[in-house]
Amino acid sequence: MPVSLRRVFALLSLILPLSGCLDVDVTMDFKDSDTAEMTVAMEMSREFYDLTGGGKGQGICPKAEQGSKADLVVGEKQVTCRATRTVQIADMVAGKQGAGKGIEADKMALVERLDDDTLRVTMDLTGLMADRPPQDQGGAEDMLRAAFAGHALTFRIKAPAIVETTGELSDDGLTATKTIPIAAFLDQPPDFGPPFVTTLRLRESCWLWVICG
């Protein structure tokens, strides 16, 4: 079953009583001028994995499909899941999202081409849970926030060069990151902060073919 990030978000609202249940890392890696690699990596408790039907082959971790790779490690207490898929940048710019298979990281992002080598990627994270009905935590919100402390949903955009970003820029200028605490899902509506907007170049710019940056 392919990874559905919307399903992950929906499940979060149903399993709030489970402490330390899930960390999600979503990476969009623009490898070259034509393709990007989409990766979703998840670490979850075995309890959460079993609750979502993982033991029956119906969980949130994907099976490998054409053009994708999936790795799953199931331990006694912890489960790790990593799935990777390569997509065409031209399809992302055109808004093509396939038949709903594979990792849906590209479905969450608006990708605009500013020129031949420059893209702007926008993730309006607040809209991801816009249709979520209000959740009654039964007075346990403080306890749940404490349980979720240290767990996060992390978005990363990698490219040969990051021009600017509303997220956190790495020291080498190659990665933009936006991190959302899992506890933010307890907010009504969820407070994910401003959109994650990143402008990137698909290749390094060089001066006299020697100095690149």
Side-chain angles (χ1 to χ4, degrees):
M1 183 174 182
V3 164
S4 171
L5 290 175
R6 281 190 175 275
R7 186 182 178 198
V8 171
F9 300 150
L11 285 167
L12 276 172
S13 67
L14 298 177
I15 50 77
L16 290 176
L18 299 179
S19 64
C21 56
L22 182 66
D23 287 279
V24 183
D25 190 302
V26 179
T27 300
M28 304 176 69
D29 189 353
F30 292 85
K31 294 287 190 179
D32 52 49
S33 298
D34 299 314
T35 61
E37 185 176 86
M38 305 296 169
T39 300
V40 173
M42 293 179 283
E43 294 185 2
M44 66 198 80
S45 67
R46 179 63 185 270
E47 187 176 11
F48 175 75
Y49 177 73
D50 291 340
L51 179 67
T52 60
K56 300 178 181 179
Q58 300 176 347
I60 60 177
C61 290
K63 297 178 181 178
E65 298 177 348
Q66 185 176 3
S68 68
K69 179 182 179 181
D71 298 301
L72 174 65
V73 178
V74 180
E76 182 178 348
K77 295 184 178 180
Q78 195 77 7
V79 175
T80 60
C81 175
R82 180 183 180 88
T84 303
R85 181 168 63 96
T86 299
V87 300
Q88 296 296 312
I89 292 175
D91 288 344
M92 297 174 66
V93 172
K96 296 181 180 179
Q97 300 173 347
K101 295 182 178 181
I103 300 166
E104 296 186 346
D106 50 320
K107 293 187 177 184
M108 301 183 301
L110 170 65
V111 181
E112 303 169 276
R113 188 180 294 277
L114 303 184
D115 59 43
D116 288 345
D117 294 323
T118 308
L119 299 178
R120 181 168 57 218
V121 181
T122 301
M123 292 185 177
D124 187 0
L125 308 181
T126 300
L128 293 176
M129 292 287 288
D131 57 351
R132 170 192 165 196
Q135 300 293 314
D136 182 4
Q137 308 308 330
E141 182 172 335
D142 290 344
M143 179 185 68
L144 293 173
R145 289 188 185 278
F148 288 140
H151 296 274
L153 167 63
T154 303
F155 291 92
R156 288 187 176 87
I157 296 177
K158 296 183 177 181
I162 302 294
V163 178
E164 60 182 358
T165 181
T166 60
E168 181 178 349
L169 184 63
S170 62
D171 291 339
D172 60 10
L174 304 181
T175 305
T177 303
K178 170 81 172 185
T179 300
I180 299 173
I182 294 296
F185 287 87
L186 294 170
D187 296 330
Q188 298 184 18
D191 182 9
F192 296 146
F196 179 30
V197 183
T198 300
T199 301
L200 60 92
R201 289 200 301 266
L202 296 173
R203 66 184 72 185
E204 293 180 316
S205 61
C206 300
W207 181 72
L208 295 180
W209 302 277
V210 176
I211 302 175
C212 299

